[in-house]
Amino acid sequence: VALQHFEPFTMLVLRFLIIAILLGPFFRTPPIAISRIIYLSFTFSILHLGTMFWSLNKGIDAGTGIIALQTHVPFLLILGIIFFNDKFGIESAIGIILSFIGSVLLMQAPNSIANPFAFFLMIFSAFSVAIYGVQLKKLENVNTVALITWIAIFSIPMMLPFALFFEDNHINMILTADI
C-alpha cells in the first residue's frame, strides 16, 4: 500500500524514522557494538529491504516476489553450512535443489520474464536476508527491540542518499499521501 504513495527509498527512510522516533527514547544506549549495528543496518536496510522494495517498484508483482523471496531459506541453509558447520541430510540437499529449480521455473513466469531486473533484485534481497540471518545468529543475549531501534537509527543516513539521488518530490509525496 505504501508503494502506491511513496517511492521505495523514501518510504524506507520514513519507516526507519518512525521507528527511531517512537522507540529511540526507550533505548538510549546501543545493545551491541556500534560497528556491528552498522553492518546489520547496511545488510538489512540497503541490501535486503532496499532491493526488495525496489524490485516491487520496478514491477515484480507481490505474489511472484513473495515466492522468489522464499529462496532465503536455502540460501540460509547453505550459509549455515559455511559459517557454522551446520549439518544437513539428504532431505535438506533435495530441498535446496528443488528450491532453486523452482526459482528457475518461476523465472519463466510472464511477470518475471517481463521484469527480469526486478526478479533478480528480489533474489538478491532473499540472499541478503539470509546474510542478515547469519549476522543475527552470531549475536547472543541481545534485546531485540533495542537492536531494531538502533538498526533503524543507523539505516536512516544509509538510505537517505538513495532517496535523494534516485527519487524526487519527497515533500509532495509526504504531503499528498492519504495513508
Side-chain angles (χ1 to χ4, degrees), residues 35-138:
S35 61
R36 293 184 88 180
I37 294 173
I38 290 170
Y39 291 127
L40 286 164
S41 299
F42 180 77
T43 305
F44 184 69
S45 68
I46 302 296
L47 299 182
H48 169 52
L49 290 180
T51 56
M52 181 179 71
F53 285 110
W54 191 18
S55 172
L56 291 166
N57 181 262
K58 288 298 178 190
I60 195 168
D61 66 88
T64 304
I66 288 169
I67 294 169
L69 196 58
Q70 296 310 306
T71 58
H72 82 278
V73 175
F75 283 135
L76 190 55
L77 287 170
I78 293 167
L79 292 174
I81 294 165
I82 294 169
F83 290 103
F84 300 107
N85 294 319
D86 288 351
K87 305 294 181 226
F88 72 100
I90 189 73
E91 296 90 3
S92 296
I94 291 170
I96 290 170
I97 292 167
L98 289 175
S99 174
F100 288 124
I101 289 171
S103 296
V104 170
L105 294 174
L106 183 62
M107 197 168 60
Q108 304 305 314
N111 184 266
S112 299
I113 293 170
N115 297 293
F117 179 69
F119 181 80
F120 286 112
L121 278 174
M122 191 62 76
I123 297 294
F124 182 78
S125 177
F127 180 70
S128 300
V129 80
I131 292 171
Y132 180 69
V134 168
Q135 291 173 314
L136 289 177
K137 188 173 179 177
K138 291 181 177 183

